[in-house]
Amino acid sequence: MELFGAMIALVICFIVFLIIVAVVRYAIDSSKTSRRLEYLIKEVHYLKSEIKKHNHNKQGDNKQIIDEKV
């Protein structure tokens, strides 16, 4: 009888764990954090390519990009 009670308690704990995981996952997905992070990664990639392109065009010049734009 004790084994049966322990198994029931284990199953209930597992179900509660799955519910908590589902709630947290829904909260993360509904906050649009993933989309914002994806947009940020794309923007950083674009900026890196712009810096490489800019440095390639100005190889002999030792000016910083920030100094030129300011």
Side-chain angles (χ1 to χ4, degrees):
M1 194 66 177
E2 286 182 29
L3 182 61
F4 183 70
M7 292 297 268
I8 295 292
L10 185 63
V11 169
I12 290 173
C13 288
F14 184 70
I15 291 172
V16 168
F17 175 74
L18 289 178
I19 291 172
I20 291 173
V21 167
V23 168
V24 169
R25 186 173 188 123
Y26 176 75
I28 289 172
D29 289 343
S30 66
S31 70
K32 300 177 185 174
T33 305
S34 301
R35 290 185 207 131
R36 290 178 188 164
L37 183 61
E38 183 179 328
Y39 177 74
L40 183 62
I41 289 171
K42 286 180 183 178
E43 190 69 25
V44 168
H45 181 69
Y46 174 73
L47 289 173
K48 282 183 178 181
S49 64
E50 281 290 318
I51 289 172
K52 282 183 182 179
K53 190 186 313 180
H54 185 73
N55 285 340
H56 187 266
N57 291 340
K58 302 276 185 177
Q59 284 179 355
D61 208 4
N62 288 333
K63 288 184 178 179
Q64 295 291 327
I65 295 171
I66 296 173
D67 292 339
E68 289 181 17
K69 290 187 177 184
V70 171

